[in-house]
C-alpha cells in the first residue's frame, strides 16, 4: 500500500485509506501477491493503455498483434509489464543487463529477452519485430531513448514511468515528428481516479486468471523482512535488491 497523500508510511498492521484506494484481494490471490501488486501492476497497466490507438483497458486479446518492449523486465514494474502484456495477448520483448535477469524475465513470460549491454540490441529487436515495437514501457528513458526510437514503429508509444540512472533526455524534434512518437509520462498518483479504477479492475481480473504470480519461479524473487527489521527492508530496496521486498507485519 502506498503512503502517498497520507501522513504515515506503509509499515503498519492497521491503517485507514480513502475507499477508492482499498481494492478487495481476489480469493485466488495470496497475501504475497496482494502485497506485490499495488504500485507495480497498476503502473504497468497505465503504461500499456496510453497508446493512441488503444487499448484503454486490458483483457485477454486486448493487445493481440501488438509488440511490447518491457525495458528492465527483471524489475518489479517490468515484471508486471511482461505479465500483463502477455495476458493481454502481446508479443513481449524484454531488455535485461545479464543472464540472471534474463532468466527472471523469461520466467515472468517474456517471449524474447535481449541483453542491452551486449551487441546491438536494436538490431536484435528489429529481427523479432521488423515493423517495430508498438509500446515501450520505459524505466530509464535517458539511457534508452536512442534504442527506443530505433525500434519504435511509426505512431508508437513510449510510456515512461522512470528515468533510472538519471541520464538527461535530449529530444531530436524532427526525428520524433517524422515518427509521430507518442511520449506518455506517468505516475500513478496523478493518473486520475478513472485510470486507477480501470487499472484496479483489470488487474484484479488478471489475478483471478492466474496471470500475475510472484516468487522466484515466476520471475520476481520475494525478499522478506519482519516488521521490526523494516529499516533493513528499506536498505535492501535502496541497494537495488533484485525482486520484491515484503515486510511481514505479523509473525
Ligand atoms: N511512475 C510510477 O508510477 C512508478 C511506479 C513504480 C515505480 N516507479 C519507478 O520505477 C523505477 C523502477 O521501479 P521498480 O520497483 O521496478 O525497481 P526495480 O525492481 O529495482 O527494477 C528496476 C529495473 O530497471 C532495470 N534498469 C535500470 N536501468 C536500465 C536500463 N538502462 N535499461 C533497461 N533496464 C534498466 C534494472 O535492471 P538492470 O540494472 O540490471 O538493468 C532493474 O531490473 C524506480 O525508479 C521507481 O521509483 C515509478
Amino acid at each position: 500500500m502506498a503512503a502517498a497523500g497520507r501522513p504515515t508510511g506503509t509499515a503498519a498492521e492497521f491503517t485507514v485509506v480513502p475507499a477508492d484506494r482499498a481494492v478487495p484481494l481476489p480469493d485466488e490471490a495470496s497475501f504475497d501477491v496482494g502485497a506485490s501488486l499495488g504500485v507495480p501492476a497498476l503502473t504497468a497497466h497505465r503504461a500499456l493503455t496510453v497508446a493512441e490507438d488503444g487499448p484503454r483497458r486490458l483483457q485477454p486479446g486486448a493487445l493481440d498483434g501488438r509488440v511490447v518492449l518491457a525495458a528492465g523486465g527483471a524489475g518489479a514494474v517490468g515484471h508486471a509489464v511482461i505479465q500483463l502484456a502477455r495476458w493481454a495477448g502481446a508479443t513481449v520483448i524484454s531488455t535485461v543487463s545479464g543472464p540472471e535477469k534474463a532468466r527472471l524475465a523469461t520466467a515472468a513470460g517474456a517471449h524474447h529477452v535481449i541483453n542491452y549491454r551486449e551487441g546491438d540490441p536494436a538490431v536484435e529487436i528489429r529481427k523479432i519485430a521488423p515493423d517495430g515495437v508498438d509500446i515501450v514501457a520505459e524505466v530509464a528513458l535517458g539511457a534508452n531513448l536512442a534504442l527506443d526510437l530505433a525500434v519504435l514503429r511509426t505512431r508508437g508509444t513510449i510510456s515512461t514511468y522512470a528515468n533510472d540512472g538519471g541520464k538527461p533526455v535530449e529530444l531530436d524534434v524532427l526525428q520524433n515528428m517524422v515518427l509521430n512518437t507518442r511520449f506518455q509520462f506517468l505516475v500513478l498518483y496523478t493518473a486520475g481516479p478513472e485510470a486507477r479504477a480501470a487499472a484496479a479492475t483489470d488487474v484484479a481480473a488478471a489475478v483471478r486468471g492466474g496471470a500475475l504470480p510472484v516468487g522466484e519461479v515466476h520471475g520476481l524473487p520475494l525478499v522478506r523482512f519482519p516488521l521490526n527489521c523494516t529499516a533493513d527492508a528499506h536498505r535492501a530496496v535502496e541497494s537495488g535488491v533484485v525482486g520484491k521486498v515484503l515486510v511481514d507485519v505479523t509473525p
Side-chain angles (χ1 to χ4, degrees), residues 39-40 43 71-79 95-98 101 116-117 138-140 143-144 160-165 186-189 220 237 240-244:
V39 171
T43 302
V77 179
H79 177 261
T95 52
V96 293
S97 61
K101 291 192 171 178
Y116 67 82
R117 289 185 177 155
E138 186 53 77
V139 65
N144 291 329
T160 301
Y161 60 89
N163 190 25
D164 281 10
L186 56 112
V187 71
L188 211 48
Y189 309 111
L220 190 70
V237 172
V241 68
V242 177
K244 192 74 193 164

Side-chain angles (χ1 to χ4, degrees), residues 126 144-152 158 175-176 179 181 183:
R126 279 281 178 187
N144 291 329
L145 182 60
L147 171 63
D148 294 350
L149 293 174
V151 301
L152 197 71
I158 301 175
Q175 179 189 22
N176 284 286
L179 203 50
T181 315
F183 285 96

